[in-house]
Amino acid sequence: MSVITRFAPSPTGFLHVGGARTALFSWLFARRHGGRFILRIEDTDLERSTAESVNAILEGMTWLGLEYDAGPFYQTQRFEYYKQIIQRLMAEGHAYHCYCSKDELENMRNEQMARKEKPRYDGRCRHRTAPRAGVPPVVRFKNPVAGEVVVDDMVRGQVVFKNTELDDLIIARSDGTPTYNLTVVCDDLDMQVTHVIRGDDHLNNTPRQMNILSALGAQLPRYAHVPMILGSDGQRLSKRHGAVSVMQYRDEGYLPEALLNYLVRLGWSHGDQEIFGLDEMIRLFDAGDINKAASTFNPEKLLWLNQQYLKNSDPQHVAHHLSYHLGKLDIDPALGPDLVEIVKVQRERAKTLVEMAHASVFFYRDRVAYDTAAVAKHLTADVAAPLGDFRARLGGLGGWQTTAIHQVLNAVAETHGIKLGKIAQPVRVAVSGGTVSPPIDATLWLLGREKTLARIDAAITMLSGT
Ligand code: GLU
């Protein structure tokens, strides 16, 4: 039997990190076992589902690289199929029409509460033989009245539910539309899902879904319920804790691999290894190693991982992502130094692609944005002579290589009896506007002769005006 997993988000918001982790685990499990991974959009809640949310989910999956082998399937396009299953359950005596009114259900509930019983539908319409005139009925599933359902969960182990605790669930509303538990069951069955990996907020639905599947004579999938993610205050992770949307991490300058690596470790471990390439994750991932306890989201660790990935990934790959962030700053990366070289000189000091982009802007802009404090501190009158000398020697350089540039800097420092920093820092302010940039020789080399000389000239003019 080949493995089939699915990710089945409800499109009622963006793709959040919890959903992305569920998707990742399902994807990894399928990849690990040479199986298939399906994307299913559970959009039957017409009031809450939006097209923007569907797009946000698809965008998030694409950015993360969690490609699916089938889908996206939309539940709203499958109503005919659900209807058939409901009819089949009715015809085979596993479901029935219920005509109970709101008031009746309310009274039932109040009486049960008065008797200190757990409120549940008591099945009174099970034996009704005639319809109630003028009342459109709902359809309820005939849950077994005795026995137990054992969820043999891959994360939790055996979780036992008594059938007496499960009442007769509504599977179709009075307008005929199917309910959540029914659509999930129909689709998991039709799509031949073998392993359902999802958040543990669904654990209570599982025995109900298993009962419906059994009534349909279906083979049951295996289940893995993944514990939730908490914020640092121990509360369920939410917007209050900062970014929870996957695309917000892109916008904040994270590499998708870093986020995936962070997410895989959030609730799963392999010894104390922290860094996993995708291939390694696929090779090592085992749903049985998912932690039973909730995990706490740690933004610092994610940032640390991002830095590791910026430093150690193929610079070409990082450049590809960096160009997106430069684009957001209205910079066309084609109109400046080779982006791969930029990455090579910048990646030691940037924690995010956003930082890297901001620190690289001066390479691309025509006008230098001077930091006034840096200018006041480093472009002082005493710098005029060495800077002028540096300009003259640089202008006479035959080639334009970092070593030659470095030699010129050393020679100027020596001639004027000053420390290297005393010339390097003014040059840095002149070309970048501020005091932070990659090593000065590499900076000038990347910036190119023409821009470098023009910016030093501008600084000299500024100096002579003071
Ligand atoms: N649509 C459900 C949700 O977004 C998931 C259902 C499932 O995985 O079975 O929570």
Side-chain angles (χ1 to χ4, degrees), residues 210-247:
M210 287 168 69
N211 279 337
I212 303 176
L213 282 167
S214 298
L216 290 165
Q219 205 183 341
L220 298 175
R222 290 294 313 269
Y223 292 91
H225 288 94
V226 182
M228 61 179 159
I229 304 176
L230 306 176
S232 52
D233 55 359
Q235 301 294 312
R236 195 191 181 105
L237 188 70
S238 74
K239 277 189 212 160
R240 284 182 297 113
H241 300 100
V244 286
S245 146
V246 163
M247 296 322 284

Side-chain angles (χ1 to χ4, degrees), residues 4 38 40 73 78 81-82 85 183-193 213 216 218:
I4 300 182
I38 292 174
R40 183 168 83 217
F73 298 109
R78 298 169 56 79
Y81 167 62
Y82 305 136
I85 296 282
T183 56
V184 167
V185 161
C186 290
D187 286 343
D188 285 343
L189 175 62
D190 189 44
M191 296 168 191
Q192 299 172 19
V193 171
L213 282 167
L216 290 165

Side-chain angles (χ1 to χ4, degrees), residues 18-41:
R21 187 187 60 167
T22 303
L24 173 63
F25 285 178
S26 302
W27 182 85
L28 283 174
F29 193 80
R31 292 288 171 270
R32 157 94 197 258
H33 294 280
R36 285 155 56 78
F37 172 65
I38 292 174
L39 178 63
R40 183 168 83 217
I41 305 291

Side-chain angles (χ1 to χ4, degrees), residues 306-327:
N306 199 49
Q307 203 176 5
Q308 301 307 308
Y309 273 86
L310 287 177
K311 265 193 217 166
N312 301 317
S313 305
D314 177 359
Q316 188 101 41
H317 175 75
V318 179
H320 170 73
H321 287 279
L322 179 62
S323 71
Y324 168 81
H325 290 278
L326 285 170

Side-chain angles (χ1 to χ4, degrees), residues 362-383:
F362 75 88
F363 284 112
Y364 296 88
R365 291 246 157 92
D366 287 336
R367 295 179 67 87
V368 178
Y370 295 105
D371 167 354
T372 40
V375 170
K377 181 159 181 219
H378 296 285
L379 291 181
T380 46
D382 57 325
V383 165

Side-chain angles (χ1 to χ4, degrees), residues 6 8-10 40 42 180 184 188 196-198 201-202 209:
R6 84 307 194 269
S10 303
R40 183 168 83 217
E42 304 208 322
Y180 160 72
V184 167
D188 285 343
V196 172
I197 300 173
R198 61 183 171 194
D201 46 335
H202 287 287
Q209 295 179 7

